[in-house]
Amino acid sequence: MDMTRDTLSRLRARARRLIPCSAEAEDLVQDALLGYLERSEHGAEIAAPLPYMMTALRHGARAQRRRAERLSPLDSTAEPQTGDAELPCFTGEVLRAVERLPEPDRALLRRVIAGETQPAALARDMGLPPGTVMSRLARARRRLRAALGEDAP
């Protein structure tokens, strides 16, 4: 792909919309370009380079936000809330309730608890259509709420 000024300016504009800091936005553009060049160098044929790099920008910005959230310091002036002490107890109660659900519900909710929240990924991992995963997940959540004594909508 021939990198034109227009291509670079479009990438930079997109990065600045995704990340307010101009230096970090520029780093994001460079990472996207480097990723594209590395893939091309290893023989990958990318039919649409600009959309590929735009997607790489979006993914990079999302990863950067997640890192920042994970690494942000705790507010030292924050006072403990009474609900904070109840959370571990409730979490244990939820996990025990999940274990009492039927196996298909349990398997699906375990994947969600482990952090997989994308329906397409869940469907691929379980070998099911996404619509089936979504309906099963809704039923599993409804059963979980019932097991916890919550009002199921």
Side-chain angles (χ1 to χ4, degrees):
M1 173 183 177
D2 183 28
M3 289 292 152
T4 63
R5 285 186 191 266
D6 180 57
T7 301
L8 290 174
S9 63
R10 289 176 68 183
L11 289 170
R12 286 182 175 129
R14 171 71 177 209
R16 281 192 298 270
R17 282 192 303 272
L18 292 169
I19 296 181
C21 175
S22 60
E24 291 177 7
E26 188 63 29
D27 289 344
L28 197 62
V29 170
Q30 290 179 15
D31 288 343
L33 288 167
L34 183 61
Y36 167 75
L37 292 172
E38 285 177 348
R39 295 232 14 202
S40 295
E41 189 174 289
H42 288 97
E45 290 189 32
I46 300 171
L50 184 60
Y52 173 86
M53 288 184 282
M54 291 289 192
T55 301
L57 289 176
R58 189 178 71 243
H59 289 257
R62 185 179 302 146
Q64 194 172 27
R65 280 192 301 273
R66 286 181 182 156
R67 275 191 304 275
E69 289 170 2
R70 203 173 40 243
L71 299 175
S72 66
L74 296 175
D75 182 7
S76 60
T77 62
E79 303 232 356
Q81 303 294 314
T82 56
D84 292 346
E86 297 170 1
L87 184 60
C89 294
F90 184 68
T91 302
E93 189 178 325
V94 170
L95 292 174
R96 285 188 295 278
V98 167
E99 292 306 312
R100 292 189 303 266
L101 293 174
E103 178 53 37
D105 294 346
R106 197 170 45 235
L108 186 56
L109 287 177
R110 280 181 186 154
R111 289 176 188 268
V112 172
I113 290 168
E116 184 54 69
T117 58
Q118 297 295 321
L122 286 167
R124 186 179 53 252
D125 291 347
M126 299 183 81
L128 298 168
T132 301
V133 168
M134 293 302 292
S135 62
R136 286 185 183 180
L137 188 56
R139 281 193 301 272
R141 287 179 175 154
R142 189 170 41 250
R143 287 181 181 130
L144 181 60
R145 283 191 300 271
L148 293 170
E150 300 287 322
D151 292 335

